[in-house]
Amino acid sequence: MRQRTEKILWILSILLVLAAWAAGANRAGESLQAPIRSVDSSISRLELIAEDMYRGQSPSGEIYVILESHPGYGGAVKTATLVGADKRVRQVAVLESSETSSYLANVLKTGLMEKFPGTMLDTPPQVDAVSGATMTSTAIISGLERAVKRVNQVAFGVPFMEEPREIPSWEIAKAAATLGLFVLALWVSSSWFPWSKKWGVRVSLLCGFIVLGVLYASQPSIATVVLLLSGAWSSGLASYAAILCLLLGACVVLVTRKNLYCQMICPFGAVQQGLGSILRPKALVLPQALRWLSRFTALVAIVLGLYYRKPGLSSFEPFSMVFSFIGSGLIYATAILAVLASLLVLRPWCNTLCPVKAVFDFISFGRGWLMPLKHKERSHEEK
């Protein structure tokens, strides 16, 4: 009876996610003129004059509105740049963002956006990226700079050369290091590993902590799941390491039914296990209701993220606070509680509310349920 209930809930979860995806796609297709007018309500008679470029009227005269998207950490960041007929930037704003809200807030409070209004198109300001939110701030700066060049070309006849986007060498190195972590974990978990598996797991966790935590701070989260399912990654990302890590982890679960990412790679899991080794806490036996709470929380986060098409809306994990020192007050409190609890309980976050583990458990359950059906069908056909 219990297994049947779980199968029904598994199917309902998929249907709910599909419904949220479809509803979110419908919302994303709505007109952009309302968001543009939210930047400046005095604009009237908007007409499209080029791709993502509008001409309208404001109380001060003719005005151009340029929309630009540039890859950020969590997806494309869409900006709006308003330019007057005198070639002066009137206003800039972020229209849409898939970034985690705390990262975006950290960028906006630095006054980065205030450096553009009042400048001339021919003399754009030199703006540096914001430390601690480099990818998000770079996406905003690049979008605004390209908007200035485009309106200069379309409206005022000043040509500019489009610079091709190339994959940086450090991003290739990051992908290779992520792949290397899974190769190491597979080797340690296999029968071919010749040394102590206990120490092999520790070395694997240490490597995950250094690579995905300290060096890159790019561990997958529930926002990564939303980013992948929504298709927002197709418009470009500043870094694909988190998505690659999620896909590799899912593939390993499907092939081996082992959650090697959570057990042997996760940097926050390494932090909890390392702290736990100080007082050697006993493993926590969770009530079944608490396990369902983590799954329900993950499902709600995915549905909301897909419907609003904002992966950052789904993020509630303490990873960003632990490794980047960026996050809301709630995330800060969660990080402190998880770290302190790690001294008393074995991997408290992993065993209670981690949504990534819940997603891998979901994949593992589906794999265990559906794969035997295929074997039965084959054996039936052979008979």
Side-chain angles (χ1 to χ4, degrees), residues 38-356:
S38 70
V39 178
D40 188 343
S41 59
S42 66
I43 298 177
S44 61
R45 290 188 288 174
L46 277 171
E47 60 173 331
L48 186 68
I49 60 172
E51 183 180 0
D52 291 329
M53 189 180 301
Y54 297 83
R55 180 169 53 209
Q57 293 293 323
S58 71
S60 58
E62 194 172 63
I63 195 166
Y64 298 92
V65 182
I66 311 94
L67 308 181
E68 272 296 334
S69 294
H70 199 276
Y73 181 76
V77 178
K78 178 167 285 187
T79 57
T81 305
L82 279 60
V83 178
D86 58 355
K87 302 182 67 173
R88 188 180 297 275
V89 178
R90 300 288 177 81
Q91 194 173 351
V92 294
V94 175
L95 280 187
E96 296 177 3
S97 172
S98 300
E99 306 292 85
T100 302
S101 57
S102 55
Y103 281 83
L104 183 60
N106 189 52
V107 172
L108 297 180
K109 73 180 182 181
T110 63
L112 179 147
M113 307 289 286
E114 299 169 6
K115 298 179 181 179
F116 285 87
T119 60
M120 301 297 293
L121 295 182
D122 300 327
T123 56
Q126 299 298 315
V127 183
D128 296 325
V130 177
S131 177
T134 306
M135 294 182 183
T136 302
S137 55
T138 299
I140 294 174
I141 295 168
S142 300
L144 295 177
E145 288 178 345
R146 190 172 185 276
V148 166
K149 293 176 181 178
R150 285 188 62 225
V151 72
N152 225 354
Q153 179 187 44
V154 174
F156 305 105
V158 179
F160 84 97
M161 294 293 293
E162 183 77 38
E163 296 181 3
R165 293 178 181 174
E166 299 180 353
I167 301 176
S169 57
W170 56 265
E171 184 64 24
I172 297 175
K174 189 189 297 186
T178 302
L179 179 60
L181 290 174
F182 279 90
V183 172
L184 174 61
L186 284 168
W187 181 44
V188 171
S189 65
S190 71
S191 58
W192 300 324
F193 189 68
W195 301 292
S196 167
K197 287 192 179 294
K198 180 179 179 180
W199 281 100
V201 171
R202 290 179 177 178
V203 170
S204 181
L205 282 170
L206 178 61
C207 292
F209 170 77
I210 294 173
V211 174
L212 295 181
V214 177
L215 292 180
Y216 299 129
S218 58
Q219 59 276 17
S221 65
I222 202 68
T224 312
V225 177
V226 174
L227 183 65
L228 180 65
L229 295 178
S230 66
W233 55 271
S234 61
S235 59
L237 295 174
S239 175
Y240 288 88
I243 280 188
L244 176 62
C245 196
L246 178 68
L247 290 174
L248 288 173
C251 288
V252 170
V253 171
L254 286 172
V255 174
T256 69
R257 211 175 175 182
K258 296 178 181 178
N259 183 0
L260 294 186
Y261 172 77
C262 293
Q263 296 170 4
M264 303 174 62
I265 296 174
C266 175
F268 192 53
V271 170
Q272 295 172 81
Q273 193 155 321
L275 291 172
S277 65
I278 298 174
L279 298 179
R280 300 183 181 279
K282 295 182 179 180
L284 176 65
V285 179
L286 293 175
Q288 191 66 25
L290 193 54
R291 295 181 185 275
W292 279 105
L293 175 63
S294 66
R295 297 169 186 174
F296 176 77
T297 305
L299 179 61
V300 170
I302 291 173
V303 167
L304 290 176
L306 287 175
Y307 178 72
Y308 289 104
R309 283 300 191 266
K310 291 185 177 182
L313 181 67
S314 306
S315 182
F316 61 90
E317 300 98 323
F319 307 147
S320 59
M321 180 58 67
V322 173
F323 294 104
S324 304
F325 304 104
I326 293 177
S328 64
L330 178 60
I331 293 178
Y332 177 76
T334 303
I336 295 297
L337 288 173
V339 168
L340 293 178
S342 298
L343 296 170
L344 303 174
V345 178
L346 182 63
R347 288 196 174 205
W349 175 261
C350 301
N351 292 321
T352 54
L353 286 173
C354 179
V356 174

